[in-house]
Amino acid sequence: MLKEFREFAIKGNVVDLAIGVIIGAAFGQIVTSVVSDLFMPVVGAIFGGLDFSNYFIGLSSNVTANSLAAAREQGAVFAYGHFLTVVINFLIIAWILFLVVKGINRLRRKAAEAPPAPAPPTKEEVLLGEIRDILARKA
């Protein structure tokens, strides 16, 4: 059983998938940082200090805090601002992946449209060429 598991784990597809998951997680962190550190401050500046991450509704009368982190400590909250931020993260990731797939598809189409290399001459064509060359030398 261990031998079979080792063969399964070492297969190229499993290793490729593991690498893809790790890179995907790192890419997700990059996109989260782009949204929260670069994109949302610009949106906030344009809309007069708008900060989605602290938009919430307290579901308990105990919730009186102004920040989401403090409000979560006080009780249950409906954190729709955080949800909006996650949706924006998803849309940015989806857009980037769309552009990547579009680029790959464009490269595949160009490769498919490229004319195939000419077929090598057959044995008969090579033989006929040799006969032609011999006759040309005799003449």
Side-chain angles (χ1 to χ4, degrees), residues 57-123:
I57 297 172
L59 299 178
S60 167
S61 60
N62 297 336
V63 178
T64 58
N66 291 332
S67 70
L68 180 60
R72 283 185 171 161
E73 291 177 7
Q74 293 177 344
V77 293
F78 183 71
Y80 64 92
H82 179 70
F83 175 74
L84 287 174
T85 303
V86 170
V87 168
I88 291 171
N89 284 353
F90 170 77
L91 292 174
I92 290 173
I93 291 171
W95 179 253
I96 290 171
L97 291 177
F98 168 74
L99 293 177
V100 168
V101 170
K102 185 177 178 179
I104 290 171
N105 287 340
R106 182 180 300 139
L107 291 174
R108 285 183 181 168
R109 272 187 253 128
K110 283 183 182 179
E113 291 173 0
T122 63
K123 291 180 183 179

Side-chain angles (χ1 to χ4, degrees), residues 13-28:
N13 293 341
V14 174
V15 174
D16 293 344
L17 179 62
I19 291 171
V21 167
I22 292 168
I23 290 175
F27 182 71

Side-chain angles (χ1 to χ4, degrees), residues 5-83:
F5 178 74
R6 186 181 67 198
E7 288 174 3
F8 170 77
I10 295 177
K11 280 186 180 179
N13 293 341
V14 174
V15 174
D16 293 344
L17 179 62
I19 291 171
V21 167
I22 292 168
I23 290 175
F27 182 71
Q29 290 177 346
I30 291 170
V31 171
T32 299
S33 176
V34 166
V35 171
S36 63
D37 299 334
L38 303 176
F39 183 72
M40 294 310 287
V42 172
V43 170
I46 291 172
F47 292 106
L50 181 66
D51 181 14
F52 288 133
S53 63
N54 283 318
Y55 281 15
F56 63 92
I57 297 172
L59 299 178
S60 167
S61 60
N62 297 336
V63 178
T64 58
N66 291 332
S67 70
L68 180 60
R72 283 185 171 161
E73 291 177 7
Q74 293 177 344
V77 293
F78 183 71
Y80 64 92
H82 179 70
F83 175 74

